[in-house]
Amino acid sequence: MTIRVMLVDDQVLLRTGFRMVLAAQPDMEVVAEAGDGVEALQVLRETAVDVVLMDVRMPKLDGVETTRRVCSDPNPPKVLILTTFDLDEYAFSGLKAGASGFMLKDVPPGELLAAIRAVHSGDAVVAPSTTRRLLDRFAPMLPSTGKEPQHKELDRLTDREREVMVLVAQGLSNGEIAARLVLSEATVKTHVGRILTKLGLRDRVQVVVLAYETGLVRAGGQG
């Protein structure tokens, strides 16, 4: 199956470079490009796309808002946020908006290709442990709401599901969680699936983000 990729970036030279890398792959095809979010949304109405490589800093409509609108559609393409800096202030917002992960623009080609394939297969590109490290560094820079962290939807979770969510947010794999809680890996996978369903989350990356947002896990990975 060919992965249909869209490039969204206001830098033509950068899009050209990505297109050359992707064109050399037998399982990938660049089917669309856009220079800003407004154009991207227009193109997506007419073009079937599997994965969008989305810049965040663009004119007219930035990548975060574009991602939010794309991901609000039924059966949306997967979005992979591209950032210039690993502490880009948009990274956190991009993940919240529904992106399946983020990559630095200067990532080695092999890692970019692996990320696109991972997203297409339904996995989150950014491993929870990587996301946790990002948020550990970035969380102190987030504006304070002045309120105690809370999220009523967390009340839907059982005690065991909350326990599993904390461990997911700390970057543990299903196998590691199973060993920690003395459960089968299949049982852990079931718990993770129920957490995603109950909280309306797309993948483990969004579990990590929500865990930080609600204070379930704090900087340093402590639950």
Side-chain angles (χ1 to χ4, degrees):
M1 177 184 292
T2 300
I3 304 173
R4 297 167 61 86
V5 181
M6 180 177 187
L7 307 176
V8 183
D9 197 298
D10 60 339
Q11 299 182 45
V12 177
L13 186 60
L14 193 68
R15 295 205 310 267
T16 300
F18 283 147
R19 186 171 62 249
M20 291 175 62
V21 171
L22 271 57
Q25 304 304 306
D27 61 338
M28 295 184 191
E29 179 185 4
V30 176
V31 297
E33 296 185 33
D36 60 65
V38 173
E39 183 183 1
L41 293 174
Q42 293 173 341
V43 172
L44 281 169
R45 294 189 190 103
E46 305 170 353
T47 309
V49 174
D50 298 315
V51 178
V52 179
L53 297 187
M54 181 79 72
D55 185 23
V56 287
R57 303 188 183 195
M58 298 183 294
K60 297 184 181 179
L61 192 67
D62 67 38
V64 173
E65 180 58 28
T66 305
T67 296
R68 184 175 293 110
R69 296 187 190 185
V70 168
C71 292
S72 67
D73 290 338
N75 301 314
K78 299 299 177 64
V79 177
L80 180 56
I81 292 285
L82 297 175
T83 66
T84 305
F85 306 104
D86 62 353
L87 278 184
D88 193 311
E89 64 268 26
Y90 289 102
F92 178 82
S93 298
L95 293 173
K96 276 185 61 180
S100 293
F102 68 93
M103 301 289 287
L104 297 181
K105 287 187 176 181
D106 61 356
V107 66
E111 291 185 24
L112 176 65
L113 297 172
I116 293 172
R117 292 184 179 107
V119 163
H120 183 252
S121 71
D123 292 333
V125 165
V126 186
S129 56
T130 304
T131 305
R132 177 175 57 79
R133 286 196 298 272
L134 169 81
L135 296 182
D136 279 349
R137 295 171 61 190
F138 191 53
M141 302 166 62
L142 296 175
S144 173
T145 62
K147 299 179 181 179
E148 285 298 314
Q150 57 184 344
H151 199 285
K152 291 182 179 179
E153 291 182 2
L154 291 183
D155 294 339
R156 301 176 187 173
L157 303 181
T158 65
D159 290 343
R160 175 64 86 186
E161 287 165 353
R162 287 174 72 97
E163 192 174 13
V164 170
M165 182 174 177
V166 168
L167 295 177
V168 168
Q170 290 176 350
L172 276 65
S173 67
N174 285 354
E176 291 168 334
I177 294 173
R180 179 79 63 90
L181 300 181
V182 195
L183 300 170
S184 71
E185 194 165 341
T187 299
V188 173
K189 186 175 181 179
T190 298
H191 283 313
V192 172
R194 287 175 178 165
I195 291 168
L196 295 176
T197 299
K198 288 183 177 182
L199 301 182
L201 304 177
R202 180 168 301 178
D203 53 41
R204 296 169 78 101
V205 167
Q206 292 194 328
V207 171
V208 180
V209 172
L210 182 60
Y212 271 78
E213 254 195 328
T214 59
L216 192 63
V217 169
R218 298 177 179 82
Q222 299 302 310

